[in-house]
Amino acid sequence: MWSPVLAHVLFYLVLAAGDKVDRKPNFVLIMVDDLGIGDIGCYGNDTIRTPNIDRLAAEGVKLTQHIAAAPLCTPSRAAFMTGRYALRSGLGSTGRVQVLLFLGGSGGLPPSETTFAKRLQQQGYTTGLVGKWHLGVNCEQRGDHCHHPNQHGFSYFYGLPFTLFNDCVPGEGNDVLADLQHALRSLTMFLGVGLFTLVCVRMCGLLNISLWILVALFFASILATSVWYMPFKLLRTWNCILMRDQEVIEQPMTVETLPQRLLGEAQHFIKRNVDQPFLLFFSLAHVHTPLFKTPAFAGKSRHGRYGDNLEEVDWMIGKITETVDSLGLANNTLMYFTSDHGGHLEDADSITGQKGGWNGIYKGGKAMGAWEGGIRVPGIFRWPGKLDAGRVVDEPTSLMDLYPTLKYLAKDTKPDRQSDGYNLMPLLEGKAERSEHKFLFHYCGVNLNAVRWHPAGSDSVFKVHFFTPNFSPPGAGGCYDTKVCLCHGDLVTHHNPPLLYDLFHDPSESSPLTPDTEPRYAEILEQTAKAVEKHRNTLTHQQVSGDTHSESNSEAHSVQNQMTWEKILWRPWLQPCCGTFPFCGCKEDTKNI
């Protein structure tokens, strides 16, 4: 009489087991902002404590040659999200402006682009982004949200649609067009003083000044004040905001409590989706300046406030890992840890000391073109039971590889557009010894800065620099006069023949190769030139520079350039706002958080 009952029990047990076996894996992607590869214990740092990040590496796979597609936030993140070089999305700069500067601008990741979140969403995944976006919000009017994360495959968004920067905290200085701010402020003061002086002269009868001149000067003063005060003096209100999905929930945001709120949202997202496949992109506001002053970590490290912030990051990573493990998700969850690019070497002052990261033995840093310190970043994958613990992969890999890797694991076989990344699973699982990246192309804006070649049958990884940024002052290791390096005009030095390094033997890029020291010198230049030409042919419908020598690639993408002044500058009608513009202001209700 029990046999029918037992049969039903066994039937449902088999169904449950089958459902568990067939369930697609979860993904937790963690990206730190401006983190140097030399800041992490498992990458050689023995003075900053990062036990939780080190644990991920010990329990998973560590990549030692993991490369960002750009040395700055916006283009690097665009390439990461799409698996394509940023200029394919129109997010390669042509001049001074290298990242999005105003939340009220119209530039951003085009609606026509496809992100890994969008592909996974189509495969039934619940997708969430907690933290920094920095890829635009609106196109033509406030509320169209054409660039917003919700339009790019993230079903849930909580965080910073822009980024954390110094203007967000009073007294920390200015990041956005500081010289232009100063010039406009000086012009406003000059016009104001001039108007006051001429009015006094007229009233005292010292000079017969036309009333029309005074009226014209008055309106010029009003205009100059508006152009300076509205976009720049109120920059904290405009750029430093928090959104939940498409609603502005805090403007300006309270920076002091931001780390705890972002961590809490990330943990809650995982807990809410424990019974279904999910993708969480946890994009931290750390360790971009201004640095946090969280009391629990203040003064605890051996490297000042920057070290405190990094140890707070490690604690947050530990909490995310603990959440995944405590819910029994570890064996079905791929965790990934990285940075969007290298540390910012030039960011320091006499009070705080060094505010940017350390890039270890590698030359350069954030915004320094193709120098290794600005583009070589941590890359750690953990997936217990799937990836062998403690594996180290020294092959060239890219942040762009996440897109095809996630597609593969989500069993997404639908046709796709041109991709610049490769599925990493064969390397991570030890089924392949060589990277599929025979060549990697390093861009500074739209300019092809350098090419990396890993020849078959060789340990060598050659890098050819067509130009390099001019450091300032002369002899320095960065652009300390301007705080960030630029990659156009007289701000760079073109090399003919190009500078050539073998990163396998000279990872610090300290000794350029010559025909006398490298037998394959001519072959290397020939092979990279052919690779550049082949790569250019994939950039469809583009106006290629007539200069075929390849020192710089000034191609104009068929996709509308998102980094022009027209798209970058602030427009009141595009500004996200809680309340009635321009009286924007609100605070998040954290009672139930």
Side-chain angles (χ1 to χ4, degrees):
M1 63 179 289
W2 292 104
S3 56
V5 176
L6 289 173
H8 278 85
V9 170
L10 288 172
F11 175 74
Y12 285 114
L13 285 174
V14 169
L15 280 181
D19 181 65
K20 192 169 184 180
V21 169
D22 293 338
R23 178 176 167 177
K24 294 179 180 179
N26 307 309
F27 305 110
V28 176
L29 314 179
I30 303 170
M31 178 177 282
V32 185
D33 199 359
D34 287 17
L35 176 70
I37 192 171
D39 289 329
I40 306 300
C42 58
Y43 283 92
N45 193 307
D46 58 3
T47 57
I48 297 180
R49 295 166 295 190
T50 57
N52 294 296
I53 300 172
D54 298 344
R55 175 193 162 196
L56 289 180
E59 295 179 355
V61 181
K62 181 178 73 172
L63 308 180
T64 64
Q65 197 176 166
H66 201 39
I67 307 300
L72 280 162
C73 301
T74 296
S76 174
R77 288 167 181 268
F80 171 70
M81 294 295 304
T82 64
R84 292 148 53 89
Y85 292 107
L87 84 164
R88 296 192 193 274
S89 305
L91 285 165
S93 66
T94 58
R96 171 181 176 178
V97 179
Q98 302 182 77
V99 299
L100 299 180
L101 296 180
F102 293 95
L103 202 51
S106 63
L109 189 63
S112 59
E113 261 299 348
T114 304
T115 66
F116 56 67
K118 188 176 292 186
R119 300 292 295 206
L120 265 61
Q121 195 177 54
Q122 294 168 357
Q123 295 298 312
Y125 275 76
T126 300
T127 54
L129 166 56
V130 174
K132 171 177 173 173
W133 174 239
H134 207 181
L135 291 172
V137 176
N138 297 315
C139 285
E140 298 180 356
Q141 61 184 6
R142 183 183 305 117
D144 66 31
H145 297 121
C146 69
H147 302 306
H148 190 279
N150 288 159
Q151 304 300 325
H152 281 293
F154 289 103
S155 51
Y156 180 72
F157 170 64
Y158 175 91
L160 299 75
F162 191 61
T163 185
L164 181 66
F165 65 121
N166 282 326
D167 300 70
C168 293
V169 177
E172 289 288 346
N174 305 117
D175 278 339
V176 177
L177 303 175
D179 56 339
L180 180 59
Q181 289 191 52
H182 178 74
L184 289 172
R185 183 169 60 248
S186 298
L187 175 62
T188 300
M189 294 176 63
F190 175 77
L191 290 173
V193 171
L195 176 62
F196 178 78
T197 302
L198 291 179
V199 168
C200 291
V201 168
R202 177 184 168 88
M203 292 180 64
C204 294
L206 298 176
L207 193 63
N208 186 20
I209 299 173
S210 170
L211 184 61
W212 290 109
I213 293 178
L214 295 179
V215 170
L217 194 57
F218 171 76
F219 282 108
S221 300
I222 294 295
L223 178 62
T225 301
S226 300
V227 170
W228 162 60
Y229 191 88
M230 283 295 287
F232 291 113
K233 195 66 176 176
L234 300 178
L235 197 57
R236 178 168 172 258
T237 298
W238 305 143
N239 276 359
C240 306
I241 73 174
L242 278 180
M243 297 183 78
R244 176 176 276 110
D245 291 326
Q246 297 177 5
E247 178 188 1
V248 179
I249 59 172
E250 189 160 278
Q251 188 173 21
M253 63 185 173
T254 302
V255 173
E256 291 76 12
T257 59
L258 186 60
Q260 301 94 310
R261 288 187 282 170
L262 293 180
L263 174 61
E265 286 286 339
Q267 291 176 303
H268 291 156
F269 180 86
I270 296 172
K271 293 174 182 177
R272 287 197 306 269
N273 295 287
V274 68
D275 293 322
Q276 57 189 332
F278 66 83
L279 160 74
L280 170 63
F281 178 27
F282 187 27
S283 178
L284 279 74
H286 295 74
V287 282
H288 199 290
T289 52
L291 298 172
F292 291 97
K293 304 175 184 177
T294 307
F297 297 92
K300 299 296 177 64
S301 79
R302 295 167 57 184
H303 287 275
R305 195 183 300 172
Y306 182 85
D308 298 343
N309 273 242
L310 188 49
E311 293 188 0
E312 183 175 19
V313 166
D314 183 76
W315 174 78
M316 294 170 75
I317 304 306
K319 285 297 181 182
I320 292 294
T321 307
E322 179 183 303
T323 300
V324 170
D325 293 354
S326 65
L327 294 171
L329 299 174
N331 290 342
N332 196 44
T333 300
L334 176 66
M335 293 189 66
Y336 169 68
F337 174 84
T338 193
S339 173
D340 55 354
H341 51 70
H344 192 182
L345 300 184
E346 299 98 335
D347 204 348
D349 62 37
S350 58
I351 299 175
T352 306
Q354 182 64 31
K355 297 180 181 180
W358 182 49
N359 300 312
I361 64 172
Y362 304 108
K363 185 173 183 176
K366 175 180 179 178
M368 297 191 197
W371 289 122
E372 203 72 359
I375 57 176
R376 190 179 291 221
V377 295
I380 300 172
F381 289 84
R382 188 194 82 148
W383 191 353
K386 186 72 172 179
L387 303 180
D388 292 341
R391 179 185 296 278
V392 176
V393 174
D394 297 321
E395 290 289 295
T397 58
S398 170
L399 267 68
M400 296 184 292
D401 296 335
L402 264 292
Y403 182 101
T405 303
L406 297 182
K407 276 186 55 183
Y408 168 79
L409 292 171
K411 299 180 180 179
D412 178 357
T413 58
K414 295 179 181 179
D416 207 347
R417 73 277 186 273
Q418 171 73 39
S419 178
D420 297 306
Y422 295 98
N423 175 22
L424 286 173
M425 287 307 293
L427 274 177
L428 298 178
E429 293 180 296
K431 296 177 180 178
E433 294 183 356
R434 301 282 296 188
S435 168
E436 292 190 68
H437 284 291
K438 186 176 180 181
F439 293 95
L440 275 170
F441 303 93
H442 305 300
Y443 281 93
C444 189
V446 298
N447 303 303
L448 183 57
N449 195 168
V451 177
R452 178 184 310 247
W453 179 36
H454 188 29
S458 172
D459 290 329
S460 292
V461 178
F462 297 108
K463 191 158 79 167
V464 176
H465 288 262
F466 302 123
F467 67 86
T468 51
N470 296 331
F471 291 165
S472 60
C479 300
Y480 289 88
D481 290 346
T482 56
K483 296 302 181 184
V484 293
C485 295
L486 299 173
C487 52
H488 64 282
D490 296 335
L491 300 170
V492 300
T493 297
H494 292 267
H495 302 287
N496 188 11
L499 292 180
L500 173 61
Y501 299 93
D502 183 352
L503 298 176
F504 181 75
H505 297 289
D506 180 23
S508 301
E509 297 174 283
S510 58
S511 303
L513 300 175
T514 67
D516 294 331
T517 59
E518 175 51 60
R520 303 180 65 179
Y521 185 90
E523 179 195 357
I524 296 165
L525 297 187
E526 179 183 356
Q527 291 296 325
T528 52
K530 289 180 179 178
V532 168
E533 187 62 30
K534 184 177 180 180
H535 170 63
R536 283 181 167 180
N537 290 336
T538 71
L539 304 172
T540 56
H541 307 297
Q542 297 190 349
Q543 300 171 352
V544 183
S545 168
D547 178 10
T548 59
H549 197 264
S550 305
E551 287 94 330
S552 67
N553 181 351
S554 56
E555 300 156 340
H557 205 336
S558 59
V559 174
Q560 189 175 12
N561 191 337
Q562 302 294 311
M563 304 299 291
T564 63
W565 283 108
E566 177 187 2
K567 286 185 171 291
I568 288 295
L569 292 179
W570 184 72
R571 302 180 186 184
W573 58 91
L574 296 179
Q575 177 60 51
C577 177
C578 61
T580 301
F581 185 86
F583 305 105
C584 307
C586 56
K587 288 297 176 185
E588 181 182 15
D589 182 4
T590 58
K591 292 179 181 178
N592 298 320
I593 295 180

